[in-house]
């Protein structure tokens, strides 16, 4: 098993205080706005605002609220630009603009994209949307029915709208785009519908598709060429996106790119992960199934792949590789290295050299029993044979399909050097059955029931030291912590719970400092911004739903434990603790 080794923090100076910083943060001074999904290209979700701090956060008061008028899962975080807040809703994917310069932040305008109602039928895990991005006077975001839109940030008028896929093939979009070098980066969802996963780049001015890189298929489709130099020898063969599949299964094999993207301007590389292969029944798709469950490093202007690393070859457990990649610079064994931190669904925290794709460490951050290490020479994970799935029933698989951590993004504080992880403590029983492919219909091949992991609690909020590769402190929660996290220069970390508590804890110790009960469970991404009045604000949306909260948002029958791909079994009591919602809450000091 890989160990972190003798890793030392690299200190920089910002505002006369010691910070562990990436060049990405240094090059993006915090003006108090929130213009990107993860705050910055490095995906740290760190705000340098410190008016609210660990000493006074207990005085936070509700400043104002806003109702979205919708009650499906609210997973997006707001954007704040030039005195305006922008909120993107789940289907039908409305865009609200709120005027922060006026008391109570009244609505300025609403953009309605006309999203197709039939797209709801190909959303595997609720009709969620994870947000947008601001760039050169426009708000860009995706709609569930496979469109990317650009909207004038001042007037709310549509600038362009591009069709990027086909819902009739089972495709949908839930991810937040990122813009790099005038390219709008967009990926599809649909790993449970037999789609062929891809990431595409659209011209930010016109909406024209500039390139599309697939996750499987021949090298020319994946955009693998002469510059492709993966770190591990077994990944250097030609056309592995075909050879590692049986027959033409790669054409319906999943590998969607439905989550987060990061960017290193120094290396000029974008980073993102791909989802599970389809179907879930692993016996139906022999081989490593490349490039599913993979981290890609691509050139933003051309899509050319520079390196790729597959965390979970021949994925047996729906361990998508789509979780966030937080870009950090660390001194490792006496040498400064550019790394990315990737908390994977398999329960391991991967620290990779982001220039080469080399695995530096891969320790468990959550309880797991499906693997017992990663080979330092090959980078290949070593699976526990008794947990292999297929045409059989396997019990006590930990973590369950949502992983040690799913899409819910972590945050990193350069003041503490810790990553703040919202994650799960779930296990599952899985029965493999025959899956038959019909375009636009579920393609799973598994009956699943999930339940609480060891200890009986289902969620955890923890601080992880990427230098020492170990947990620092943790807080157990009744339900999976399905919200994103936020950390500030005031040494406060924020997160929400599925039973409706918005919480602030000491970023150094984990000590609870403040909490507020919202009307519904929280699965969104909190942000911090400076208002036109100079005050620091903290904002979060409630509205339980998503895969974890489908039992409430979708009104599912708690007696059918296999509902929502098995998540209902673990969440039967959630309706006793929360109801549907869809409100924004904004907090400030008195």
């Amino acid at each position: 098993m890989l160990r972190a080794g003798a890793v030392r923090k690299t200190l920089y100076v910002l505002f006369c205080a010691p910070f562990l910083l990436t060049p990405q943060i240094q090059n993006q001074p915090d003006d108090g706005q929130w213009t990107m999904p993860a705050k910055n290209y490095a995906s740290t979700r760190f705000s340098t605002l410190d008016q609210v701090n660990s000493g006074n956060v207990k005085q936070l008061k509700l400043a104002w609220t806003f109702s979205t008028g919708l009650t499906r899962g609210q997973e997006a975080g707001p954007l704040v630009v030039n005195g305006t807040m922008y909120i993107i809703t789940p289907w039908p994917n409305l865009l609200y603009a709120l005027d922060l310069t006026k008391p109570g932040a009244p609505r300025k305008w609403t953009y309605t994209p006309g999203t197709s109602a039939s797209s709801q039928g190909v959303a595997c895990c609720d009709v969620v949307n994870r947000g947008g991005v601001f760039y050169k006077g426009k708000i860009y975001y995706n709609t569930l029915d496979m469109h990317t839109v650009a909207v004038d940030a001042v007037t709310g008028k549509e600038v362009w709208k591009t069709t990027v896929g086909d819902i009739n093939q089972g495709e949908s979009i839930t991810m937040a785009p990122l813009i790099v070098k005038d390219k709008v980066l967009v990926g599809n969802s649909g790993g449970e519908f037999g789609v062929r996963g891809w990431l595409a780049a659209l011209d930010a001015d016109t909406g024209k598709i500039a390139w599309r890189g697939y996750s499987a298929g021949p090298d020319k489709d994946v955009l693998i060429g002469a510059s492709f130099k993966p770190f591990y020898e077994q990944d250097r063969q030609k056309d592995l996106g075909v050879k590692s599949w049986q027959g033409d299964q790669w054409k319906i094999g999943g590998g969607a790119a439905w989550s987060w993207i990061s960017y290193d301007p120094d290396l000029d590389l974008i980073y993102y992960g791909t989802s599970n292969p389809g179907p879930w029944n692993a016996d139906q798709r022999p081989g490593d199934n490349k490039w599913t469950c993979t981290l890609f490093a691509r050139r933003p202007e051309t899509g050319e792949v520079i390196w790729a690393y597959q965390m979970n070859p021949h994925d047996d457990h729906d361990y998508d590789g789509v979780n966030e990649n937080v870009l950090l610079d660390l001194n490792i064994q006496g040498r400064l290295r550019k790394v990315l931190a990737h908390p994977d669904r398999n329960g391991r925290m991967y620290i990779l050299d982001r220039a080469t794709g080399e695995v530096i460490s891969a320790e468990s951050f959550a309880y797991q029993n499906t693997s017992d290490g990663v080979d330092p020479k090959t980078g290949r994970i070593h699976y526990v044979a008794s947990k292999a799935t297929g045409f059989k029933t396997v019990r006590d698989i930990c973590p369950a399909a949502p992983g040690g951590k799913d899409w819910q993004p972590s945050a990193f504080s350069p003041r503490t050097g810790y990553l703040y992880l919202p994650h799960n403590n779930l296990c599952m029983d899985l029965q493999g059955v025959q899956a038959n492919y019909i375009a636009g219909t579920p393609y799973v091949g598994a009956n699943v029931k999930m339940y609480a992991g060891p200890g009986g609690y289902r969620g955890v909020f923890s601080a992880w030291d990427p230098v020492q590769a170990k947990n620092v402190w943790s807080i157990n929660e009744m339900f999976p912590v399905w919200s994103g996290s936020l950390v500030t220069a005031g040494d406060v970390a924020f997160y929400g719970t599925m039973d409706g508590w918005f919480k602030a804890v000491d970023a150094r110790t984990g000590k609870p400092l403040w909490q507020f009960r919202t009307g519904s469970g929280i699965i969104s991404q909190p942000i911090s911004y400076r208002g036109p009045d100079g005050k620091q604000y903290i904002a979060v949306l409630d509205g339980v739903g998503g895969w974890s909260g489908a039992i409430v948002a979708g009104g599912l029958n708690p007696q059918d434990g296999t509902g929502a791909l098995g998540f209902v079994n673990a969440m039967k009591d959630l309706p006793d603790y929360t109801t549907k919602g869809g409100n924004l809450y904004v907090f400030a000091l008195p």
Side-chain angles (χ1 to χ4, degrees):
M1 184 181 296
L2 288 169
R3 300 292 176 183
V7 183
R8 296 292 183 268
K9 297 179 183 178
T10 301
L11 296 180
Y12 296 84
V13 175
L14 180 66
F15 303 133
C16 299
F19 280 74
L20 179 66
L21 291 176
T22 68
Q24 290 78 6
I25 299 175
Q26 288 178 309
N27 295 336
Q28 296 174 15
D30 194 342
D31 56 6
Q33 304 189 103
W34 197 285
T35 63
M36 298 184 186
K39 179 58 177 175
N40 47 45
Y41 279 142
S43 297
T44 64
R45 299 178 183 272
F46 171 75
S47 170
T48 63
L49 302 180
D50 60 2
Q51 187 180 103
V52 178
N53 56 57
S54 57
N56 62 22
V57 67
K58 63 184 177 182
Q59 299 175 37
L60 274 185
K61 301 295 183 184
L62 185 64
W64 54 276
T65 64
F66 173 77
S67 173
T68 66
L70 298 167
T71 56
R72 296 307 293 257
Q74 308 271 349
E75 288 189 349
L79 299 174
V80 175
V81 186
N82 299 329
T84 302
M85 177 180 285
Y86 301 91
I87 297 172
I88 298 165
T89 75
W91 186 91
N93 305 132
L94 306 177
L95 171 61
Y96 290 112
L98 309 180
D99 191 344
L100 299 178
T101 68
K102 297 179 180 179
R107 184 171 53 175
K108 298 170 69 173
W109 48 258
T110 304
Y111 167 71
T112 304
T115 311
S116 169
S118 59
S119 62
Q120 298 173 90
V122 293
C124 92
C125 312
D126 201 3
V127 294
V128 300
N129 186 286
R130 298 188 178 93
V133 61
F134 170 82
Y135 185 73
K136 292 184 177 179
K138 293 183 281 290
I139 302 295
Y140 299 80
Y141 72 103
N142 300 307
T143 63
L144 191 65
D145 64 350
M146 299 305 297
H147 290 89
T148 301
V149 298
V151 180
D152 187 287
V154 175
T155 67
K157 302 298 183 182
E158 183 180 293
V159 178
W160 54 255
K161 183 178 183 180
T162 299
T163 302
V164 293
D166 184 0
I167 61 174
N168 294 315
Q169 296 299 314
E171 291 183 290
S172 59
I173 306 186
T174 57
M175 59 93 75
L178 189 70
I179 299 182
V180 177
K181 290 189 166 183
D182 295 320
K183 298 294 188 294
V184 187
L185 302 170
V186 177
N188 64 344
S189 301
E192 279 62 59
F193 287 80
V195 305
R196 186 184 179 195
W198 48 260
L199 187 80
L202 284 65
D203 183 276
D205 291 329
T206 67
K208 182 180 179 180
I209 297 176
W211 57 260
R212 189 189 304 262
Y214 288 94
S215 304
D219 286 353
K220 64 181 179 60
D221 290 1
V222 184
L223 304 184
I224 287 175
S227 297
F228 182 57
K229 301 185 185 306
F231 187 82
Y232 297 103
E233 183 177 356
Q234 73 267 15
D235 295 332
R236 298 171 190 164
Q237 302 175 46
K238 298 289 187 182
D239 293 323
L240 285 174
V242 173
K243 294 177 182 176
S244 62
W245 295 84
Q246 186 176 68
D248 288 341
Q249 285 185 322
W250 55 269
K251 295 179 179 179
I252 54 172
W258 58 262
S259 198
W260 306 112
I261 304 171
S262 302
Y263 174 58
D264 183 336
D266 296 330
L267 294 175
D268 192 30
L269 292 174
I270 58 170
Y271 305 92
Y272 72 98
T274 62
S275 78
N276 60 289
W280 285 18
N281 186 337
D283 280 351
Q284 289 191 240
R285 45 173 173 79
D288 277 359
N289 310 137
K290 293 185 183 299
W291 298 91
T292 64
C293 301
T294 292
L295 293 182
F296 274 110
R298 294 183 185 266
R299 295 288 183 218
E301 292 177 292
T302 64
E304 182 182 23
V305 183
I306 303 304
W307 60 259
Y309 169 70
Q310 188 176 39
M311 283 83 62
N312 300 293
H314 187 65
D315 172 36
D316 274 49
H317 308 110
D318 187 44
Y319 290 163
D320 297 48
V322 299
N323 291 353
E324 69 279 8
N325 300 294
V326 185
L327 309 187
L328 309 170
D329 290 353
L330 300 176
N331 189 321
I332 298 177
Q333 297 179 347
R335 180 163 65 97
L336 182 65
R337 298 181 70 171
K338 294 176 176 293
V339 306
L340 65 80
H342 172 84
D344 196 63
R345 292 233 312 226
N346 66 20
R348 294 185 175 276
M349 175 67 75
Y350 288 80
I351 304 297
L352 272 68
D353 185 309
R354 67 178 184 270
T356 66
E358 177 189 5
V359 179
I360 298 168
S361 66
E363 298 299 312
S364 298
F365 67 87
Y367 177 76
Q368 62 86 20
N369 61 17
T370 56
S371 66
D372 58 18
V374 174
D375 190 314
K377 293 183 179 180
T378 65
R380 195 171 180 91
I381 194 168
H382 183 255
Y383 294 127
V384 174
S386 63
K387 301 304 178 182
T389 63
F391 281 111
K392 57 185 175 180
T393 298
V394 181
R395 303 191 185 278
D396 190 37
I397 298 171
C398 308
K405 198 184 78 58
D406 203 323
W407 76 277
Q408 61 268 44
S410 56
F412 175 79
S413 170
R415 289 178 56 84
T416 64
Y418 301 155
L419 279 158
Y420 299 90
L421 304 176
H423 55 108
N424 316 313
N425 181 41
L426 298 170
C427 300
M428 68 178 175
D429 299 338
L430 187 151
Q431 176 190 42
V433 297
Q434 180 69 35
N436 298 304
Y437 175 75
I438 302 174
T441 65
Y443 182 56
V444 178
N447 296 319
V448 176
K449 287 189 175 181
M450 304 181 200
Y451 42 85
Y457 51 91
R458 286 161 281 183
V460 185
F461 187 73
S462 63
W464 179 269
D465 186 336
V467 173
Q468 300 299 325
K470 67 178 184 180
N471 186 63
V472 180
W473 53 255
S474 61
I475 301 168
N476 298 334
E477 295 286 354
M478 180 187 303
F479 297 107
V481 183
W482 208 256
S483 82
S485 58
L486 163 72
V487 65
T488 73
D491 288 342
V492 182
F494 294 89
Y495 69 100
T497 69
M498 293 190 67
D499 52 346
W501 287 102
F502 187 45
K503 298 187 176 184
V505 301
D506 188 296
R508 297 186 181 277
T509 67
K511 177 184 176 181
L513 300 174
W514 172 88
Q515 61 182 6
F516 180 91
R517 185 65 182 266
T518 61
S520 180
I522 300 170
I523 60 167
S524 68
Q525 306 160 53
I527 70 162
S528 180
Y529 69 93
R530 181 186 296 114
D533 57 2
K535 295 180 65 173
Q536 180 182 358
Y537 291 87
I538 310 294
V540 70
L541 282 151
D542 79 352
V544 78
W547 189 10
S548 60
I551 187 172
V552 174
L556 302 185
N557 183 357
Q559 301 305 313
D560 179 11
T562 64
L565 298 175
F567 224 140
V568 164
N569 194 66
M571 308 298 285
K572 290 180 178 179
D573 57 338
L574 183 61
D576 298 331
Y577 290 88
T578 191
T579 58
K580 297 180 181 180
N583 290 284
L584 173 76
Y585 297 81
V586 180
F587 304 91
L589 296 174

